[in-house]
């Protein structure tokens, strides 16, 4: 007896028709609406980088999402990966990893120099992120050193103070 095939998801840029699904997904993944409202605010302000918000879709349903917003290290522009969400029942299926990999590859293709993330130090190194302090990046608030990470995309990672989009409140 053979197992039925595992359903395959696709990864693509978000469309305006995905906004409500992304909001619901993000709220469910984080167990609160704060991150969902952050996604909406970044998109609405223009601080979410146009075309760099991707979804994973399974059987017509948005099951994963990640976006890049503009950040700066000193005067050098880069991108910040966050928030990233997967419906709880689809976590640990590779959907989140696929969305993030595709998103970072597209950012590199577009010539973005570097990416940063403030997140789980056990998860993000798989994409190439390492502690931002190793690049000489500082943040004006205290966060665990291993949680603030950076990686080169299509250029150098600069040294200096990190500034997130204002919607982050950091």
């Amino acid at each position: 007896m053979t197992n039925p095939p595992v359903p395959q998801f696709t990864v693509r840029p978000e469309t305006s028709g995905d906004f409500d699904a992304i909001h619901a997904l993000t709220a469910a993944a984080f167990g609160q609406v704060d991150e969902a409202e952050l996604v909406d605010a970044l998109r609405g302000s223009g601080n979410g980088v146009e075309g760099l918000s991707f979804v994973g879709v399974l059987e017509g349903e948005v099951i994963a999402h990640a976006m890049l917003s503009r950040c700066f290290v000193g005067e050098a522009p880069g991108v910040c990966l966050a928030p990233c969400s997967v419906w709880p029942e689809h976590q640990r299926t590779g959907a989140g990893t696929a969305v993030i990999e595709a998103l970072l590859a597209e950012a590199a293709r577009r010539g973005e120099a570097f990416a940063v993330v403030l997140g789980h130090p056990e998860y993000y190194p798989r994409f190439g992120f390492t502690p931002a302090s190793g690049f000489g990046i500082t943040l004006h608030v205290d966060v665990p050193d291993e949680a603030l990470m950076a990686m080169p995309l299509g250029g150098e990672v600069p040294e200096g103070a990190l500034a997130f989009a204002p919607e982050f409140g950091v």
Side-chain angles (χ1 to χ4, degrees), residues 6-7 9 25 29 58 63-64 84-100 120 122-123 126-127:
V6 175
F9 53 85
L25 154 67
L58 177 65
I63 63 165
C84 305
S85 313
V86 178
W87 275 105
E89 62 269 23
H90 294 287
Q91 291 175 358
R92 295 176 179 78
T93 65
T97 296
V99 170
I100 293 169
H120 296 287
E122 304 81 34
Y123 183 73
R126 73 181 68 185
F127 304 104

Side-chain angles (χ1 to χ4, degrees), residues 49-63:
V49 181
E50 179 76 27
L52 292 178
S53 184
F54 280 23
V55 293
V57 179
L58 177 65
E59 297 174 355
E61 177 189 1
V62 173
I63 63 165

Side-chain angles (χ1 to χ4, degrees), residues 9-143:
F9 53 85
T10 58
V11 175
R12 61 168 172 75
E14 73 174 20
T15 66
S16 59
D18 298 324
F19 293 172
D20 289 343
I22 291 168
H23 186 93
L25 154 67
T26 306
F30 285 93
Q32 61 183 17
V33 298
D34 294 355
E35 287 81 2
E37 290 174 353
L38 173 61
V39 169
D40 296 341
L42 287 166
R43 191 184 296 120
S45 72
N47 285 325
V49 181
E50 179 76 27
L52 292 178
S53 184
F54 280 23
V55 293
V57 179
L58 177 65
E59 297 174 355
E61 177 189 1
V62 173
I63 63 165
H65 171 257
M67 74 183 310
L68 292 170
S69 60
R70 182 62 59 210
C71 69
F72 291 87
V73 172
E75 298 295 318
V79 291
C80 172
L81 175 62
C84 305
S85 313
V86 178
W87 275 105
E89 62 269 23
H90 294 287
Q91 291 175 358
R92 295 176 179 78
T93 65
T97 296
V99 170
I100 293 169
E101 286 176 343
L103 187 59
L104 291 172
E106 179 63 11
R109 189 191 71 74
R110 290 179 176 210
E112 294 291 343
F114 66 93
V116 298
V117 67
L118 180 58
H120 296 287
E122 304 81 34
Y123 183 73
Y124 291 100
R126 73 181 68 185
F127 304 104
F129 286 100
T130 60
S133 61
F135 296 102
I137 294 175
T138 60
L139 189 60
H140 68 281
V141 296
D142 286 332
V143 298

